[in-house]
Amino acid sequence: MDKLIATGGKPLSGEIRISGAKNAALPLMISSLLTRETVMISNVPHLNDITTTMELLGQMGVGLQVDEKMSIQTDASTLNSAVAPYELVKTMRASILVLGPLVARYGHAEVSLPGGCAIGSRPVNLHLKGLEAMGTDIIFEGGYIKARAKRLKGTRIFMDMISVTGTENLMMAATLAKGTTVIENAAKEPEIVDLAESLNDMGARIEGAGTDQIVIDGVEELGGTAHRVIPDRIEAGTFLLAAMVSGGQIKLRDVRPQHMEAVLGKLSEAGAAVETGEDWISLKSPDGPIRPVGIRTSPYPGFPTDMQAQFVLLNTVADGMSTVVETVFENRFMHIHELRRMGANIELDGNTAVIQGVSRLNGAPVMATDLRASACLILAGLIAEGQTTIDRIYHIDRGYECIDEKLALIGARIKRIPGAYFASRSDEPVS
Ligand code: EPU
């Protein structure tokens, strides 16, 4: 298993192109299950979660072609299996997104139940409840969700909690249902809007994506389309943080600033000079100390939970006291234990982190626990005194395209050490 070694102390400055959004690309690829025609998705990021999705679709018999620019063409006319096996679902929870499309188009699906994960228990009850309301029979057998339906029926669905993939799953299923489906208390993330736009290009009739009420008039069938994935607002936010905490200056290209208002607002509050254009953002870190900022995560357009770990780091090196409250996931503070080992002064009280800024961090060996925690620890290593070794970085390769190479482009001293180098050590986890 690879590790990263980061050496701190250099301001990170330069220009970076932001990749396509992982959390938009995954549902877009999976939406190709809804049609017999070809779907072409461009600006797909080169990530392990994308490879897992290709493997998942490929195992079901979907034809896949990828070109050198990561445009992926899918052909689900050859689908011959409606099973998402445990081996793939356990590595990527978003695999649950195949459930709605498979039931809607083929009338059955078997999807391994995702278990808990490093950031919380993450049940899928809302996905299942919505599909049941549309006429799906669901049983659990051998760790699998086994779903069957005749043609799904449109209905009114109230989501008890705002769920991103829950909304996506039900919206995809409803495109082929008989009649109208109304999803109330829907998630409003830009990734939902991107998916709805692509589905509408395929012939779906979806209105209201991006608001909390989505109305879907079911159609008989969907056709093909070509769609470009929106930029990754979390990758963009992470690079802005890299410049901010290291005292640097950065320009991001291929971004949508309007998707990042909560994050850009907090960076300005912390003292950054932020400028935006139609598809770019520039940030200059403050000349003086960083001001601490209060953070409370919530669904879009609130402050994204996927940027919480990075802002914990910002507050860790800010001048003063702050609180960070995580309201979306119950256990998304694992990075704090590692940051403390680097000298951070953070107290945890339930879902609240109380942070007293420190003037410097010290390099240490640390362990990544999930994707965004990994990003936080890498950035911490890049501002700490001395060397930080970040272990279990397979998490980061799931969701950040070539993060070490991109960071090196803005001056980071970062090195990837291939797993074999550490092969004699016995501390590697079984994932
Ligand atoms: N929830 C339920 N029941 C459900 C579904 C969700 O109780 O049936 C709860 C969850 O346990 C959580 C809350 O609702 O407490 C919100 O979860 P949500 O369903 O919105 O999360 P998700 O769809 O599983 C997506 C992203 C996550 C991101 C969250 C929140 C994808 C593939 N994943 O997850 O991304 O953190 O929305 O914005 O879109 C990441 O990229 O690092 C990542 C974890």
Side-chain angles (χ1 to χ4, degrees), residues 22-23 122-126 163-165 306 328-329 372:
K22 164 180 87 80
N23 290 347
R122 300 183 77 182
V124 291
N125 57 312
L126 300 172
S163 166
V164 177
T165 50
D306 292 343
V328 178
F329 292 111
R372 309 302 169 185

Side-chain angles (χ1 to χ4, degrees), residues 124-251:
V124 291
N125 57 312
L126 300 172
H127 303 234
L128 305 184
K129 197 173 143 198
L131 287 172
E132 280 177 331
M134 294 167 85
T136 308
D137 289 325
I138 292 177
I139 58 166
F140 302 100
E141 222 173 64
Y144 277 71
I145 303 162
K146 298 193 172 173
R148 275 197 179 275
K150 299 216 172 69
R151 186 167 179 199
L152 295 177
K153 286 194 229 31
T155 186
R156 182 172 285 270
I157 298 167
F158 182 84
M159 308 286 284
D160 295 335
M161 284 179 79
I162 298 177
S163 166
V164 177
T165 50
T167 302
E168 290 165 348
N169 222 341
L170 299 177
M171 185 169 80
M172 286 193 280
T175 59
L176 293 180
K178 190 171 166 53
T180 302
T181 303
V182 181
I183 306 176
E184 302 278 8
N185 202 27
K188 297 185 279 217
E189 270 66 4
E191 292 75 20
I192 307 248
V193 178
D194 202 33
L195 176 63
E197 281 174 3
S198 179
L199 290 168
N200 281 344
D201 286 341
M202 292 162 75
R205 293 170 58 194
I206 303 172
E207 278 182 17
T211 74
D212 51 17
Q213 187 192 62
I214 304 180
V215 180
I216 307 120
D217 280 327
V219 296
E220 295 294 322
E221 58 178 20
L222 295 179
T225 191
H227 187 86
R228 186 175 169 80
V229 178
I230 55 169
D232 195 315
R233 61 197 167 97
I234 306 301
E235 187 200 22
T238 304
F239 277 100
L240 292 176
L241 257 286
M244 180 73 178
V245 295
S246 66
Q249 192 168 345
I250 197 166
K251 182 165 185 182

